[in-house]
Amino acid sequence: MLDINGWEFILLIVIGVVVLGPERLPEYAAKLRTLIKQARVMADNARSQLREQMGPEFDDIDWQAFDPRQYDPRRIVREALLEDGEEDFSAFNPFKEPSRPRRDPALPTPWDVDAT
């Protein structure tokens, strides 16, 4: 959510202690606690109000169907190609180099005079 790791959090606490000082720190900690409680209450109220307004259909919604992580283009194309009951294309790799050499090794190496 905020993308803060443990060391950054500890550093923020230390900076807060230094900036606020020991006499004002408990006051601001209490204010932060009440702010977090109020935010949780507001979120719970919004959730309950949404459930109330949506009605019983809200519980029947399949939220997995709306997950954007399921839309992998490679999987969609693979499934579309296999719909007709054709063979499995999972081993097919269009970026794989061909197994045969591109030029005959018995021939001399090509040389371009203008390239050097």
Side-chain angles (χ1 to χ4, degrees), residues 6 22-23 50 60 72 82 84 95 100 104:
E23 59 274 350
L50 183 64
D60 298 335
D72 181 22
L82 292 177
D84 300 332
F95 302 107
R100 58 181 170 75
D104 188 8

Side-chain angles (χ1 to χ4, degrees), residues 3-111:
D3 198 28
I4 297 176
N5 62 22
W7 290 109
E8 292 171 349
F9 187 69
I10 291 172
L11 182 66
L12 288 174
I13 289 175
V14 169
I15 290 173
V17 168
V18 170
V19 169
L20 295 176
E23 59 274 350
R24 289 188 291 176
L25 190 61
E27 176 188 343
Y28 283 100
K31 286 182 180 180
L32 180 64
R33 184 185 68 217
T34 57
L35 178 73
I36 290 174
K37 283 183 179 181
Q38 287 175 351
R40 284 184 181 170
V41 167
M42 286 174 37
D44 289 338
N45 288 341
R47 185 180 302 126
S48 64
Q49 185 179 6
L50 183 64
R51 284 187 189 274
E52 221 175 77
Q53 290 177 355
M54 291 289 290
E57 304 92 37
F58 184 75
D59 295 328
D60 298 335
I61 295 175
D62 181 23
W63 294 106
Q64 288 287 70
F66 299 110
D67 188 11
R69 293 175 289 188
Q70 72 176 343
Y71 299 112
D72 181 22
R74 295 171 293 194
R75 183 187 56 81
I76 293 171
V77 169
R78 186 178 328 120
E79 288 176 358
L81 290 174
L82 292 177
E83 274 183 357
D84 300 332
E86 296 178 9
E87 60 198 44
D88 185 16
F89 291 105
S90 61
F92 175 71
N93 185 0
F95 302 107
K96 181 180 172 188
E97 289 292 323
S99 58
R100 58 181 170 75
R102 292 187 177 215
R103 65 170 194 85
D104 188 8
L107 296 174
T109 305
W111 179 263

